[in-house]
Amino acid sequence: MTGSIGEVPLPDLLQLFSASKKTGVLVITTETQSGRIVLEEGRVVHAVLDGREEVPPVKAFCRILSYNEGTFDMEPPHEGSVPDEIGMSTEGLLMEAMRQLDELRRVQENLPPFSAPIGLTTPLRAKLRDLISDELDVLQAVINGGTIEEALNLLPGHDYEAAEVIERLLRSGYLSAR
């Protein structure tokens, strides 16, 4: 089965596959990104974003679900075991992903594009000693990643929570868009 995400949104497609208990790999491709969602008897068991296994599968699933355009193709199941199997029902996973995406969109309005370069403000006038450990972790991920998107890939936890910290660091003068 192949088609366009514009014509059949991913949540609808996943609900259809869940109801019909499909097994296989749903491959989603946009102009700049790709994702793979592994289904076993209709249940989402794993997701991979751009081939990056280090991105946790629930985080990868949420990102893939944010794709508004592109194509999908249902491939036969892959052989072997699935690393980091997602333990939620497809319906529960869809609800959680939609909640996270709503939160992320709210924060995203106050941020530069996720693919734009971002880094430590120089000269740095804000005091690093004023940051708490979570803020230091996010700051380090931004420095190492160079963009918001890469920083989010490096950080555990929900994207919207890290994006809120990035927004705070931008406002406080620790970070700046390049």
Side-chain angles (χ1 to χ4, degrees):
M1 176 181 228
T2 63
S4 168
I5 296 171
E7 294 176 16
V8 183
L10 288 175
D12 296 347
L13 189 62
L14 289 165
Q15 287 177 334
L16 173 69
F17 289 154
S18 178
S20 59
K21 301 205 180 291
K22 292 287 183 193
T23 296
V25 180
L26 182 62
V27 179
I28 302 97
T29 308
T30 71
E31 284 186 19
T32 58
Q33 298 173 308
S34 67
R36 299 172 70 79
I37 298 174
V38 180
L39 298 156
E40 286 183 7
E41 296 183 8
R43 191 171 74 80
V44 174
V45 295
H46 191 67
V48 178
L49 183 66
D50 291 325
R52 297 182 66 162
E53 288 287 346
E54 71 273 13
V55 177
V58 172
K59 181 181 282 207
F61 179 81
C62 291
R63 295 259 191 87
I64 294 166
L65 212 63
S66 73
Y67 298 171
N68 294 321
E69 53 188 49
T71 59
F72 65 85
D73 184 29
M74 186 63 153
E75 295 182 351
H78 79 289
E79 295 180 22
S81 63
V82 176
D84 299 326
E85 187 170 315
I86 296 172
M88 299 172 72
S89 69
T90 298
E91 295 77 18
L93 186 59
L94 282 167
M95 288 176 54
E96 176 62 16
M98 297 310 287
R99 183 190 69 77
Q100 287 187 34
L101 288 171
D102 285 345
E103 291 289 334
L104 184 60
R105 285 185 187 111
R106 181 185 54 77
V107 178
Q108 201 169 6
E109 295 172 0
N110 301 319
L111 293 171
F114 280 14
S115 60
I118 187 172
L120 193 62
T121 299
T122 54
L124 182 61
R125 298 191 194 321
K127 302 293 184 202
L128 290 173
R129 69 175 169 253
D130 294 338
L131 296 175
I132 59 174
S133 64
D134 289 348
E135 292 169 331
L136 286 169
D137 291 343
V138 171
L139 183 67
Q140 182 175 357
V142 170
I143 292 168
N144 290 337
T147 65
I148 294 173
E149 182 175 16
E150 282 303 312
L152 296 177
N153 286 341
L154 295 171
L155 291 163
H158 303 304
D159 285 349
Y160 72 89
E161 293 171 337
E164 287 174 337
V165 175
I166 292 171
E167 177 189 22
R168 212 168 39 244
L169 293 171
L170 282 162
R171 240 181 313 119
S172 302
Y174 292 97
L175 295 173
S176 56
R178 312 241 163 167

